[in-house]
Amino acid sequence: MKVDVLVAGAGPVGLAMAVELERYGLHVRIVDKAAERTDKSKALVLWSRTLELLDRAGCSQALIDAGGKVSGVNIVDGSRQIAHLVLDRVITPHAYALMLPQSETERLLDEHLQVNGIQVERGVELTQFAASADQVVCTLRHAEGQEEQLEASWLIGCDGAHSTVRHQLGFEFIGDTLPSNWILADVHLGGLPWRGEIDIAWHSDGVLAIFPISQDRYRVIADVGDAGDDTSEPTLQEVQAILDQRGPGEIQASAPVWLARFRINERKVADYRAGRVFLAGDAAHIHSPAGGQGMNTGIQDACNLAWKLALVQRGICAAEPLLDSYSLERSAVGKQVLEATGRATAIGLMTGEIKQSIRNHVASLIFGLAPVRKKVAEVITELSIGYPHSPLNAESLHSPGSPAAGERAPIRPQEPPVGAGGTPLFALFAEANAAVSDFVARYPGVLEPNIRKPFHEGGLWLVRPDGYTALATTHDRWDDVGTYLRQIGCYSPTSE
Ligand SMILES: Cc1cc2nc3c(=O)[nH]c(=O)nc-3n(C[C@H](O)[C@H](O)[C@H](O)COP(=O)(O)OP(=O)(O)OC[C@H]3O[C@@H](n4cnc5c(N)ncnc54)[C@H](O)[C@@H]3O)c2cc1C
């Protein structure tokens, strides 16, 4: 039986993609070649923006209940504090970093899917596909060896860094593998009082980062120089030696849950779309795990694509330019994240006493400025992500202090997030009157029927189902909304 979408890969990105597509009523199958979900804690942090986006599907609360909240990031040089970033002052319903092992994030997303009637098909591998103008024929190999031909309107490759979909599209994974080697240890740390903050030490021998996972468990990450292709499991003694050398002292590592080595890959495809086939998550971009942005960026790819695909598949909007905007918007974000995590890693790995001393001095001056700390907090919580150059941005009359086209729209207390529920609807923020209400009523399936209060008196905003501003103008120009919707290929069934 033909499906709307085949999601290949049930890591966090494939699962989030299926959650979004299912709630918008699409017929989805999701397959994963692995027989079991990962038991590895890999991505530990869920940032504020990811939680805001998952709120729309009603997924965040279960994650929050299972995770631990972290409210700050410290950068130290020996005993001297270089920076202290607070995350609890960013303006969002989720003013913290949520620490939750990736295995738990996947379990909870998987359970959410099951409750909504979708079972991940494990032990089922996408081996090849043939895309034409109106469908994608996918070959699936089941665990018992039998092959299945599946017709799908769309294929989304969420199949990770070694993506079959990306390879078959022939897309180059452009970038580098960095020469430095890192160790990772999820351990108990005795002697470290719980502060609920991330600690990063810029030691002269290298970086040491300690992430709290729960009251009795921490993630330790440290670079260990260029050790070639060594993939052997690090020992607890090795971890302890680094903690003794670079840490605050008198910390005892024990009870390891996961010890691993990794190298940093910084790679990305140029295009996330080829006709009816899309890439998302690690299949499209991989970065330094040190920045903690990989999984978050991938989940946000899913939230960007799902509503567009749903509007197209439901026949409400034309495929172009909505679907083309996915690659343009998310590729720009992937590039920014790669550059930012690359820069942060390079700064942390700086060698040489004089260079390190200048770095520490300059960083402490810069982070001493409150506006810089605020900006950096908005960047790491991913609240500053936006699409300033998107083809989906209307020409706007922007007033300072309110969201411009391409920017995340503020989320106000007690107001349901835009894009929640079973239909991807745009929301109009404006002074309500009979003419505006009549206008909104002409766009069922496109515009929320209720008009929300404007962000400022005298203004009008159209906000996309993923919470980004599409159009900002003055209250008398609500007809611009109709022009805009026609331009992006969303027509009013009652007025054409
Ligand atoms: C040590 C470490 C720490 C990290 N820390 C963070 C962090 O703190 N924050 C953060 O945001 N990110 C972090 N990351 C990155 C994060 O783990 C990845 O970005 C994330 O797993 C990507 O999710 P994904 O769903 O795109 O891919 P994956 O998690 O790789 O999932 C891909 C899935 O596709 C399946 N698959 C592959 N090929 C096929 C096929 N042909 N057919 C069917 N199924 C297929 C695989 O079995 C797999 O289950 C870290 C990574 C590592 C290694």
Side-chain angles (χ1 to χ4, degrees):
M1 180 187 166
K2 187 171 177 179
V3 295
D4 292 331
V5 184
L6 174 70
V7 178
V13 176
L15 290 165
M17 188 71 82
V19 164
E20 287 288 277
L21 293 169
E22 184 283 329
R23 83 184 167 98
Y24 287 145
L26 269 61
H27 182 198
V28 184
R29 276 180 67 181
I30 172 167
V31 298
D32 198 295
K33 70 178 180 184
E36 306 279 343
R37 250 192 340 253
T38 183
D39 61 354
K40 297 285 180 285
S41 53
K42 294 188 279 186
L44 259 193
V45 191
L46 283 154
W47 298 111
S48 312
R49 184 59 183 150
T50 305
L51 292 169
E52 285 183 355
L53 286 164
L54 291 175
D55 273 340
R56 294 148 55 251
C59 284
S60 297
Q61 197 53 52
L63 299 168
I64 294 163
D65 292 345
K69 294 179 183 175
V70 158
S71 60
V73 182
N74 281 297
I75 303 178
V76 294
D77 150 29
S79 56
R80 191 168 67 102
Q81 188 167 61
I82 294 174
H84 182 226
L85 298 167
V86 291
L87 305 177
D88 53 4
R89 286 190 213 142
V90 287
I91 314 284
T92 163
H94 305 291
Y96 47 83
L98 186 75
M99 310 305 287
L100 186 66
Q102 182 170 325
S103 47
E104 283 297 284
T105 300
E106 291 187 22
R107 178 180 68 79
L108 291 163
L109 291 173
D110 194 342
E111 284 176 10
H112 183 96
L113 269 182
Q114 283 177 43
V115 167
N116 289 287
I118 295 200
Q119 194 72 38
V120 174
E121 298 171 49
R122 300 197 183 273
V124 180
E125 180 177 2
L126 171 76
T127 53
Q128 53 182 324
F129 61 87
S132 62
D134 51 6
Q135 66 174 1
V136 191
V137 179
C138 304
T139 306
L140 301 177
R141 188 165 50 219
H142 289 252
E144 304 74 29
Q146 83 272 24
E147 285 202 338
E148 175 193 352
Q149 300 292 312
L150 174 71
E151 292 171 6
S153 297
W154 311 94
L155 167 66
I156 311 180
C158 301
D159 47 350
H162 304 286
S163 168
T164 302
V165 177
R166 187 186 68 238
H167 281 122
Q168 254 201 54
L169 288 174
F171 282 6
E172 199 184 340
F173 214 20
I174 305 158
D176 295 306
T177 304
L178 303 190
S180 63
N181 290 56
W182 294 69
I183 59 168
L184 172 153
D186 284 355
V187 284
H188 173 73
L189 291 182
L192 188 65
W194 177 266
R195 286 184 296 110
E197 297 202 332
I198 297 166
D199 289 310
I200 300 169
W202 283 348
H203 189 270
S204 52
D205 292 327
V207 176
L208 167 69
I210 302 179
F211 299 81
I213 303 177
S214 60
Q215 295 281 347
D216 64 351
R217 195 166 148 201
Y218 289 82
R219 152 101 29 110
V220 176
I221 292 185
D223 76 284
V224 290
D226 186 355
D229 285 331
D230 183 3
T231 52
S232 63
E233 191 174 285
T235 62
L236 193 58
Q237 288 73 12
E238 198 178 342
V239 176
Q240 184 64 52
I242 290 175
L243 284 167
D244 292 343
Q245 186 190 26
R246 304 182 194 172
E250 304 193 4
I251 298 179
Q252 282 303 320
S254 61
V257 179
W258 186 33
L259 297 169
R261 277 179 214 281
F262 66 88
R263 297 188 85 173
I264 295 176
N265 275 290
E266 296 184 332
R267 294 175 192 277
K268 168 179 173 300
V269 289
D271 217 327
Y272 290 23
R273 178 185 179 206
R276 291 186 165 268
V277 182
F278 300 87
L279 294 172
D282 275 20
H285 47 78
I286 44 170
H287 352 99
S288 159
Q293 311 271 322
M295 178 184 74
N296 287 264
T297 307
I299 292 177
Q300 292 181 35
D301 291 343
C303 295
N304 182 292
L305 177 58
W307 67 269
K308 297 171 180 172
L309 212 45
L311 284 173
V312 170
Q313 188 63 14
R314 285 165 161 236
I316 292 171
C317 293
E320 316 300 338
L322 218 46
L323 296 184
D324 259 353
S325 73
Y326 166 65
S327 185
L328 294 167
E329 292 181 347
R330 295 308 300 171
S331 174
V333 170
K335 183 166 174 284
Q336 269 170 30
V337 172
L338 263 173
E339 287 169 358
T341 52
R343 254 194 318 271
T345 307
I347 291 171
L349 292 182
M350 202 174 265
T351 54
E353 212 175 305
I354 296 174
K355 276 198 211 158
Q356 286 176 341
S357 157
I358 295 172
R359 169 196 67 188
N360 298 356
H361 183 65
V362 171
S364 114
L365 283 180
I366 293 175
F367 283 115
L369 304 170
V372 173
R373 289 199 302 275
K374 178 172 180 282
K375 182 76 202 152
V376 174
E378 284 169 359
V379 170
I380 59 180
T381 52
E382 301 189 348
L383 295 176
S384 64
I385 288 175
Y387 306 120
H389 307 297
S390 170
L392 297 188
N393 293 347
E395 259 188 49
S396 292
L397 301 170
H398 169 234
S399 51
S402 65
E407 287 180 359
R408 164 184 168 272
I411 297 172
R412 298 181 292 204
Q414 320 303 333
E415 194 170 270
V418 178
T423 318
L425 298 173
F426 287 75
L428 202 53
F429 291 71
E431 299 299 345
N433 62 40
V436 180
S437 300
D438 280 354
F439 171 79
V440 166
R442 294 203 332 253
Y443 286 89
V446 180
L447 293 178
E448 271 185 8
N450 58 314
I451 298 154
R452 301 187 185 218
K453 283 209 176 80
F455 299 116
H456 284 309
E457 209 178 308
L460 178 153
W461 290 263
L462 180 70
V463 175
R464 310 175 352 172
D466 56 359
Y468 289 92
T469 310
L471 179 155
T473 187
T474 51
H475 73 105
D476 51 335
R477 301 190 54 134
W478 49 266
D479 219 22
D480 287 359
V481 177
T483 310
Y484 169 78
L485 291 173
R486 278 192 297 280
Q487 274 167 1
I488 66 159
C490 295
Y491 294 95
S492 152
T494 60
S495 66
E496 305 306 324

